[in-house]
Amino acid sequence: MLDIIKNGVNYILDLGAAAMLPIILTIFGVVLGQKLSRSFRAGLTVGIGFTGLNLVIGLLSDSVGQASTAMIERLGLNLDILDVGWPIGAAITFATPIAVLLIPTIFIFNMVLLRFNQTKTMDVDIWNYWHLIFPGAMIYYATDSIIIAVVCALINTFVIFKLADWTAPAVEHFYGLPGISLPHGETVNFAPITYALNRVWDKIPGINKIDINADNLKDKLGIFGEPMMIGLILGVGMGFLAGYDSQAIIQLGIQMSAVMILMPRMVALLMEGLSPIAEAAKTFIQKRFPGKEVYIGLDAAVVTAHPAIITVALIMVPITILLAAVLPYNRLLPFADLAVLPFTVIWSIAASKGNIFRGLLNAIVSVCIVFFIATNLGALTTTMAHAVGFAFPEGATMISGIDMSCHITLWIMLKLIDPSNVPAFAAGVIALVMYGALWFWTRNDIKKQFNIEPDKKNVEGVETNE
């Protein structure tokens, strides 16, 4: 029976997000009262949008990946933890024994939280559940206890859903996606930190006066401030740093220019499909639960088309490689996940409201934290990979990744589950208190920024928890 369930789950997961979402959203639309034809068209449009977005991200990954490899070789970096990338991280996570248990458990937990008003996020991005399962899998190999692993995974899921709820107004007002939240642990984990950093920059003379965003770049630089030209300039600069010849430099410049233009258009197509589903969800909820609000939880890829995100992410590629070389505590060799830096900087940009300069400062601090977590948890990540039979690349003895090392809540829980290790436990307690304080501060800061009204009561008289 367990094998049948596992095979069924694997079949669904192997479809990938682009094929899964049309099916899920079609069913969802019909349940919400939409006609089958309209629901299917909306779901198919979303699938087409995601396919196009993945093609553009693939272009970005291939181009940036090759340039990054060349830069690393030029610097002669030789670090002992290899960044194998998020696809390997996802494959390892789904291969763990706990994954088949956590997929339905997290889904049911989400429904329970919605029913009792403990979250507004309905996460339909099931393929990316691996981000929610990964902390549970890591804790399973740290404790050898399924019970502790499941409990910790659900605690982490609750935290991520709450952060997704609280940051949804920024997704709506800054990224222009109403009714959408981003329950990606490896991205939204950084929201409390980047919002706090933005207040720090407010207090520093000089820095607090610098405002560089996509709009004023275009105004001040004319054609050179347009997204396609920014992509061209950054691509040429990256090719130069990689030591490419003139032909390869020009090709990389054109490819990055294409990314800057095509990504927003693919996201626009995706949102064309999501709009009728979001409207149907809003109507359904308003009829049955007046005053109650539900967000559709999606892949954070839907916001990566923002020009400031792509700009900062491309600038961060050589900076990340340089940080890997100079940070004394770092052992991670950045490689495959350099192409996912657009995901890593999402909240660096949102917190700065599109200010590229501040977004870059936020991103540098975020990457320094990533390197610390990757180095600290590299041995455990390697243990998990060995346990599921991952074939290590030639010469690699330890693995991790930028994406896998963005889980701040996982790091805190790993320190707290072993009170006998006093220094680690103390570090976990301190981090929990500090991160928890930032957690609630961020909620209030976002409410204040977007003039969100205080909590209301829904039709059942239960106070909603923002």
Side-chain angles (χ1 to χ4, degrees):
M1 179 61 71
L2 187 61
D3 286 340
I4 293 173
I5 295 172
K6 187 174 181 179
N7 290 336
V9 169
N10 287 337
Y11 174 81
I12 295 171
L13 293 174
D14 287 343
L15 288 173
M20 277 179 57
L21 274 173
I23 298 171
I24 293 171
L25 292 176
T26 299
I27 296 171
F28 187 39
V30 171
V31 169
L32 293 174
Q34 270 191 338
K35 290 182 179 178
L36 175 61
S37 58
R38 189 160 190 244
S39 298
F40 179 71
R41 186 184 186 283
L44 185 58
T45 303
V46 170
I48 293 168
F50 255 107
T51 300
L53 187 59
N54 286 334
L55 288 173
V56 180
I57 290 175
L59 171 62
L60 177 67
S61 299
D62 291 343
S63 303
V64 171
Q66 292 173 15
S68 301
T69 302
M71 280 187 268
I72 289 168
E73 289 175 353
R74 291 190 81 192
L75 281 173
L77 289 186
N78 187 23
L79 301 165
D80 65 342
I81 302 177
L82 178 65
D83 172 8
V84 294
W86 73 265
I88 298 299
I92 290 172
T93 300
F94 282 134
T96 61
I98 199 170
V100 71
L101 173 64
L102 281 176
I103 291 171
T105 301
I106 289 173
F107 180 81
I108 294 168
F109 185 57
N110 190 184
M111 297 304 105
V112 171
L113 291 177
L114 280 166
R115 173 63 183 83
F116 291 100
N117 304 297
Q118 296 305 305
T119 186
K120 296 179 180 181
T121 292
M122 180 164 56
D123 189 0
V124 301
D125 187 24
I126 296 174
W127 193 87
N128 276 306
Y129 266 28
W130 85 266
H131 294 295
L132 300 174
I133 296 168
F134 177 72
M138 287 280 279
I139 289 171
Y140 171 72
Y141 285 101
T143 64
D144 199 28
S145 169
I146 290 180
I147 294 175
I148 294 175
V150 170
V151 170
C152 287
L154 294 182
I155 291 171
N156 177 75
T157 298
F158 178 73
V159 171
I160 297 307
F161 284 166
K162 297 302 287 188
L163 281 173
D165 291 347
W166 294 344
T167 54
V171 176
E172 175 179 356
H173 295 285
F174 179 71
Y175 288 118
L177 304 177
I180 303 298
S181 69
L182 308 177
H184 261 202
E186 90 290 5
T187 59
V188 78
N189 256 293
F190 283 100
I193 293 171
T194 55
Y195 273 90
L197 284 171
N198 196 55
R199 294 306 183 199
V200 172
W201 312 138
D202 281 338
K203 305 296 182 184
I204 301 177
I207 288 180
N208 58 10
K209 302 296 183 184
I210 301 174
D211 183 14
I212 304 173
N213 58 59
D215 292 331
N216 64 31
L217 268 181
K218 189 174 180 180
D219 292 338
K220 293 177 181 178
L221 301 178
I223 187 175
F224 292 101
E226 293 182 7
M228 69 172 70
M229 292 302 295
I230 293 172
L232 178 64
I233 293 167
L234 291 174
V236 167
M238 196 180 301
F240 178 78
L241 291 173
Y244 283 180
D245 60 30
S246 59
Q247 285 184 323
I249 288 175
I250 293 170
Q251 289 171 346
L252 183 58
I254 297 299
Q255 288 168 343
M256 293 303 98
S257 184
V259 166
M260 294 288 280
I261 294 299
L262 293 175
M263 280 188 79
R265 296 187 181 181
M266 293 302 101
V267 170
L269 182 62
L270 188 150
M271 291 312 300
E272 179 187 328
L274 279 174
S275 292
I277 299 293
E279 286 299 317
K282 188 180 294 185
T283 302
F284 181 87
I285 295 299
Q286 286 174 348
K287 280 183 179 180
R288 288 158 180 80
F289 307 101
K292 188 173 181 178
E293 190 175 18
V294 172
Y295 301 127
I296 299 175
L298 288 180
D299 188 334
V302 298
V303 300
T304 55
H306 194 283
I309 287 180
I310 305 174
T311 300
V312 170
L314 291 178
I315 296 172
M316 279 300 298
V317 171
I319 291 176
T320 299
I321 294 171
L322 180 62
L323 287 172
V326 301
L327 288 174
Y329 58 79
N330 176 57
R331 293 168 58 192
L332 178 72
L333 177 66
F335 182 59
D337 268 347
L338 284 167
V340 303
L341 284 172
F343 292 83
T344 309
V345 306
I346 285 171
W347 291 105
S348 294
I349 297 299
S352 69
K353 295 184 178 178
N355 186 327
I356 292 171
F357 177 73
R358 288 193 184 194
L360 189 59
L361 295 180
N362 292 340
I364 289 171
V365 174
S366 298
V367 167
C368 289
I369 294 172
V370 168
F371 279 136
F372 172 77
I373 294 175
T375 300
N376 194 251
L377 302 186
L380 180 59
T381 309
T382 302
T383 296
M384 185 167 76
H386 277 303
V388 301
F390 171 67
F392 279 56
E394 185 178 350
T397 56
M398 298 181 71
I399 66 162
S400 187
I402 292 174
D403 188 290
M404 287 184 278
S405 303
C406 287
H407 295 266
I408 298 170
T409 48
L410 165 62
W411 185 87
I412 293 173
M413 286 191 294
L414 282 168
K415 302 306 170 187
L416 293 176
I417 58 175
D418 185 12
S420 63
N421 186 341
V422 176
F425 183 77
V429 171
I430 293 170
L432 176 63
V433 172
M434 293 176 63
Y435 190 71
L438 291 177
W439 201 49
F440 283 98
W441 179 86
T442 298
R443 176 191 68 164
N444 295 331
D445 187 51
I446 290 175
K447 281 184 177 182
K448 194 179 298 182
Q449 285 187 34
F450 299 111
N451 298 316
I452 299 173
E453 296 179 5
D455 296 350
K456 297 178 179 179
K457 291 190 175 183
N458 66 16
V459 70
E460 296 175 340
V462 180
E463 188 173 308
T464 59
N465 295 296
E466 294 288 335

